[in-house]
């Protein structure tokens, strides 16, 4: 081939090579374009997945935050609702001032639990008005004193009833102790340390239910048991007779007594409202509660010197019981054959290890009921049946 012809052939080849190069570039571009679309799709799917997971995570966190807010709100509601609950009973709570011969002898608290025939009934403790011949009440929102009639009271129940003319006063709402649980929020309204501190509100928790507390009613030794509610809310002299309320402002008890010792703190007690209402109803009917009696003078076996003075001998092995010091003539005890020196250890089905236990069990019965008494005489156990009489005191 001549050089001229060779040059011509090379010129013809160059366009073909260029065409091939362009074709390869086009194929490569299409391939890269396809790979790019796939990559975009992959990244898109990945981002969607990540966004979905992140969204779910954030939603779960949002629910948790809402739940926390809800819990806080509920907690705050309980705390804040106490003020509105206090309002429910505050206007029905009164200061009670008791007088004897024109002189003030005590102050306490009470509350309106009933209105009937244009008369408002006020409940308080018996020891608030014990020995009084006159009483006045004063509401929390004014200083006006209103003359009150003392209907009556009972020293063992420690419940008393007073009345005043109704002037459209508000009656407290009654709660239910059966629904309460230990740790539930409670509050009380009272008059600690006198009328200067009337309307004082204290708050705490329910510390105990159905506590049996010994009470000193008539002497140095405990002579009765009371079933009470235990609380840790602050109660002081003057709180006696005030309402104990649940967190909704319903009255669940009547503040009655407080253990006051150097080593004891934060223990207050209240009579369950169910018992208090029962006692109040009996007082309304007759001014006092008719208690059964058997007609004996009694002593705990722990009063060794007193027993020795009265020549009472305790049988060997007997550590608990009630010693009969004397028997009234014509009494149910005398008719049943009981004598001085007998040691009562059981009344009905209940053992009576102390004077307080004996009286608590005795007062569960009604006047006229027959009850079996188990006792020691001359170191031998004996039994008799007593028909309970009516206590005239």
């Amino acid at each position: 081939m001549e050089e001229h012809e060779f040059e011509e052939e090379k010129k013809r080849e160059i366009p073909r090579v260029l065409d091939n190069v362009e074709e390869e570039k086009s194929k490569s571009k299409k391939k890269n374009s396809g790979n790019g679309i796939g990559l975009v799709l992959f990244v898109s799917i990945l981002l969607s997945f990540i966004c979905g997971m992140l969204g779910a995570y954030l939603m779960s966190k949002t629910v948790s935050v809402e739940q926390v807010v809800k819990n806080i709100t509920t907690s705050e509601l309980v705390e804040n609702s106490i003020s509105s609950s206090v309002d429910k009973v505050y206007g029905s709570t009164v200061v009670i001032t008791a007088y004897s011969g024109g002189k003030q002898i005590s102050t306490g608290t009470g509350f309106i639990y009933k209105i009937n025939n244009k008369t408002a009934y006020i409940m308080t403790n018996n020891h608030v008005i014990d020995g009084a011949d006159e009483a006045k009440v004063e509401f929390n929102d004014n200083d006006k004193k209103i003359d009150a009639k003392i209907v009556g009271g009972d020293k063992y129940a420690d419940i008393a009833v007073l009345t005043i003319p109704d002037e459209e006063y508000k009656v407290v709402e009654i709660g239910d102790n059966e629904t309460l649980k230990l740790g539930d929020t409670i509050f009380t309204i009272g008059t600690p340390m006198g009328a200067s501190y009337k309307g004082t509100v204290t708050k705490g928790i329910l510390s105990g239910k159905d506590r049996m507390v010994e009470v000193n009613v008539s002497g140095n030794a405990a002579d009765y048991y009371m079933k009470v509610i235990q609380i840790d809310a602050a109660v002081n002299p003057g709180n006696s007779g005030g309402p104990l309320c649940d967190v909704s402002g319903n009255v669940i008890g009547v503040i009655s007594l407080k253990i006051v010792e150097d080593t004891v703190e934060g223990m207050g007690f209240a009579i369950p409202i169910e018992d208090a209402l029962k006692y109040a109803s009996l007082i309304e009917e007759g001014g006092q509660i008719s208690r059964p009696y058997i007609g004996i003078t009694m002593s705990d076996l722990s009063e060794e010197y007193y027993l020795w003075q009265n020549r009472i001998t305790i049988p060997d092995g007997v550590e608990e019981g009630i010693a009969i010091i004397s028997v009234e003539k014509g009494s149910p005890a005398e008719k049943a054959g009981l004598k001085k020196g007998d040691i009562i250890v059981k009344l009905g089905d209940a053992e009576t290890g102390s004077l307080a236990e004996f009286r608590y069990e005795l007062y569960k019965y009604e006047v006229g009921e027959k009850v079996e008494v188990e006792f020691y005489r001359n170191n031998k156990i004996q039994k008799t049946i007593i028909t309970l009489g009516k206590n005239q005191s």
Side-chain angles (χ1 to χ4, degrees):
M1 181 180 293
E2 294 183 2
E3 184 177 351
H4 176 73
E5 293 175 348
F6 178 75
E7 292 293 335
E8 289 295 328
E9 185 63 28
K10 284 178 66 177
K11 289 178 181 180
R12 287 193 294 268
E13 286 293 330
I14 288 173
R16 285 197 296 266
V17 171
L18 291 175
D19 289 341
N20 289 338
V21 170
E22 290 298 326
E23 185 178 349
E24 289 298 323
K25 284 184 177 180
S26 178
K27 288 181 179 179
S28 176
K29 187 175 182 181
K30 288 181 180 178
K31 183 178 179 182
N32 290 338
S33 176
N35 290 340
I37 293 172
L39 181 60
V40 170
L41 288 173
F42 173 76
V43 171
S44 226
I45 292 171
L46 181 61
L47 287 174
S48 296
F49 176 75
I50 292 173
C51 289
M53 294 296 292
L54 182 61
Y57 175 76
L58 291 175
M59 286 180 67
S60 68
K61 287 298 180 183
T62 301
V63 171
S64 298
V65 171
E66 288 177 352
Q67 185 63 42
V68 170
V69 172
K70 182 178 180 181
N71 289 339
I72 292 174
T73 302
T74 302
S75 176
E76 289 177 348
L77 177 62
V78 171
E79 293 299 316
N80 292 338
S81 69
I82 292 176
S83 60
S84 59
S85 297
V86 169
D87 289 340
K88 289 174 58 178
V89 67
Y90 198 80
S92 305
T93 306
V94 299
V95 182
I96 297 175
T97 306
Y99 302 86
S100 178
K103 295 182 179 181
Q104 178 178 322
I105 58 174
S106 68
T107 59
T109 309
F111 58 92
I112 298 174
Y113 70 96
K114 172 183 175 180
I115 292 179
N116 186 37
N117 293 329
K118 297 183 179 181
T119 298
Y121 289 77
I122 297 171
M123 187 184 299
T124 188
N125 285 152
N126 181 74
H127 72 260
V128 172
I129 54 88
D130 190 29
D133 53 26
E134 180 186 359
K136 296 180 183 293
V137 301
E138 178 182 332
F139 285 86
N140 290 322
D141 55 359
N142 62 66
D143 295 329
K144 180 182 177 181
K145 290 188 176 182
I146 304 169
D147 291 330
K149 175 185 176 182
I150 300 175
V151 177
D154 182 81
K155 66 180 180 179
Y156 293 107
D158 199 21
I159 292 294
V161 175
L162 290 74
T163 60
I164 58 174
D166 179 35
E167 294 183 9
E168 298 184 354
Y169 297 123
K170 185 179 179 182
V171 178
V172 299
E173 294 184 20
I174 303 300
D176 181 6
N177 276 285
E178 292 299 320
T179 62
L180 296 178
K181 296 181 180 180
L182 297 182
D184 281 352
T185 299
I186 52 86
F187 69 88
T188 184
I189 303 174
T191 314
M193 311 306 294
S196 298
Y197 295 94
K198 69 178 182 178
T200 296
V201 180
T202 56
K203 179 175 73 71
I205 63 169
L206 181 68
S207 303
K209 299 177 70 175
D210 298 330
R211 298 294 199 206
M212 299 302 295
V213 179
E214 290 184 339
V215 182
N216 181 358
V217 176
S218 56
N220 295 324
D223 48 16
Y224 188 62
Y225 271 111
M226 290 183 69
K227 183 176 75 172
V228 294
I229 302 167
Q230 181 186 337
I231 60 174
D232 72 344
V235 290
N236 294 282
N239 277 102
S240 293
L244 174 66
C245 308
D246 62 21
V247 73
S248 299
N250 301 318
V251 177
I252 57 171
V254 182
I255 299 297
S256 178
L257 68 161
K258 179 184 178 183
I259 293 179
V260 182
E261 297 179 11
D262 292 338
T263 57
V264 177
E265 185 175 338
M267 292 180 68
F269 298 95
I271 303 166
I273 192 61
E274 293 85 353
D275 293 343
L277 287 172
K278 179 180 68 175
Y279 298 141
S281 178
L282 293 172
I283 293 169
E284 288 174 32
E285 294 175 2
Q288 62 180 6
I289 299 174
S290 296
R291 301 283 189 181
Y293 98 115
I294 58 177
I296 60 175
T297 303
M298 305 172 284
S299 173
D300 282 328
L301 298 191
S302 60
E303 301 291 328
E304 296 180 0
Y305 182 70
Y306 183 60
L307 296 178
W308 176 80
Q309 284 183 315
N310 286 276
R311 296 182 175 83
I312 304 295
T313 302
I314 303 174
D316 294 336
V318 178
E319 297 180 353
E320 293 185 335
I322 302 301
I324 297 179
I325 304 301
S326 64
V327 179
E328 296 178 20
K329 290 188 176 298
S331 67
E334 185 185 54
K335 294 176 182 178
L338 291 176
K339 298 180 180 180
K340 174 182 177 179
D342 290 343
I343 309 296
I344 299 175
V345 294
K346 199 170 184 181
L347 185 68
D349 296 327
E351 295 182 353
T352 55
S354 68
L355 181 61
E357 289 179 351
F358 178 83
R359 188 171 277 115
Y360 178 77
E361 294 299 330
L362 176 64
Y363 290 168
K364 288 181 179 179
Y365 294 94
E366 300 290 337
V367 174
E369 281 192 76
K370 297 181 184 296
V371 58
E372 183 179 77
V373 177
E374 192 171 302
F375 61 96
Y376 278 94
R377 179 183 294 169
N378 299 325
N379 291 327
K380 293 182 180 180
I381 197 74
Q382 298 186 36
K383 297 180 180 180
T384 188
I385 302 294
I386 294 182
T387 302
L388 301 178
K390 183 178 179 179
N391 195 339
Q392 302 299 321
S393 61

